[in-house]
Each structure stands twice: as structure tokens, then as C-alpha cells.
């Protein structure tokens, strides 16, 4: 690799890393703003209201046009699992 290629190559790393860090900071800011609300979601999912809402939905007591992704057992569980996996990954990356 000649000097021009080397400088260009390293310049690309600098630019790509800058963009990635900026995107990561924005994503962390969004997550930080949602943490309390995410705790509410987790509390709802593990509490009695979720089960009642789920049962009422299964019994056809809720409006058909109601968005109900939160009543899907998998949607909330998967989200919380992804959150835990990503937090663990962030901790591991922080060890560098």
C-alpha cells in the first residue's frame, strides 16, 4: 500500500468510525429517554393487568381495530431479551 492509499484507507476508517459513534450516541440518547417507560412496559407485562388484557382480547372483548402488539407474549419478551443482550454487549465493549 502506498502513502496515498494508506492515508485514504485510514481517512475512511476515521470517517466511518465518526459516523458510527454519532449514530450510537443518538441511539443511546433515545434509549436513555425511554428507560423509565420501558420499566413500565416490563412491570405491565409481569403484572396482573397484562393477563387480564390478554384474556379479554382472547374473549373478543376489545375493539378489533385496537393495536395490540403488547398483548403478544413474544413481542414484549423478545424486546426485553434484546435489551438485556444489548446491555450485556455494551458492557463487554466497554472493557476495551
Amino acid at each position: 500500500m502506498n502513502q496515498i492509499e494508506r492515508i485514504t484507507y485510514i481517512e475512511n476508517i476515521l470517517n466511518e468510525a465518526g459516523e458510527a459513534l454519532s449514530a450510537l450516541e443518538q441511539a443511546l440518547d433515545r434509549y436513555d429517554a425511554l428507560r423509565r417507560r420501558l420499566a413500565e412496559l416490563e412491570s405491565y407485562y409481569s403484572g396482573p393487568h397484562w393477563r387480564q388484557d390478554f384474556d379479554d382480547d382472547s374473549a373478543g372483548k376489545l375493539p378489533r381495530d385496537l393495536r395490540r402488539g403488547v398483548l403478544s407474549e413474544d413481542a414484549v419478551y423478545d424486546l426485553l431479551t434484546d435489551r438485556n443482550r444489548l446491555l450485556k454487549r455494551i458492557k463487554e465493549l466497554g472493557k476495551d
Side-chain angles (χ1 to χ4, degrees), residues 46-61:
S46 63
H49 292 292
W50 182 89
R51 174 50 65 186
Q52 181 63 52
D53 295 345
F54 179 84
D55 290 344
D56 286 350
D57 185 43
S58 296
K61 295 180 181 178

Side-chain angles (χ1 to χ4, degrees), residues 15-33 86-87 89-94 96:
N15 293 334
E16 189 175 345
E19 290 171 9
L21 289 175
S22 178
L24 178 58
E25 185 168 25
Q26 289 176 13
L28 288 172
D29 288 346
R30 284 184 62 207
Y31 174 76
D32 191 35
L86 289 171
L87 289 174
R89 184 174 175 196
I90 290 169
K91 285 180 185 179
E92 289 297 318
L93 288 171
D96 287 348

Side-chain angles (χ1 to χ4, degrees), residues 45 72-84:
Y45 182 66
S72 160
E73 294 178 77
D74 292 339
V76 177
Y77 178 83
D78 290 348
L79 178 80
L80 296 174
T81 299
D82 287 346
R83 177 207 52 191
N84 293 338

Side-chain angles (χ1 to χ4, degrees), residues 11 14 23 42 52 58 63 66 96:
E11 178 71 16
L14 173 67
E42 188 170 15
Q52 181 63 52
S58 296
L66 178 68
D96 287 348

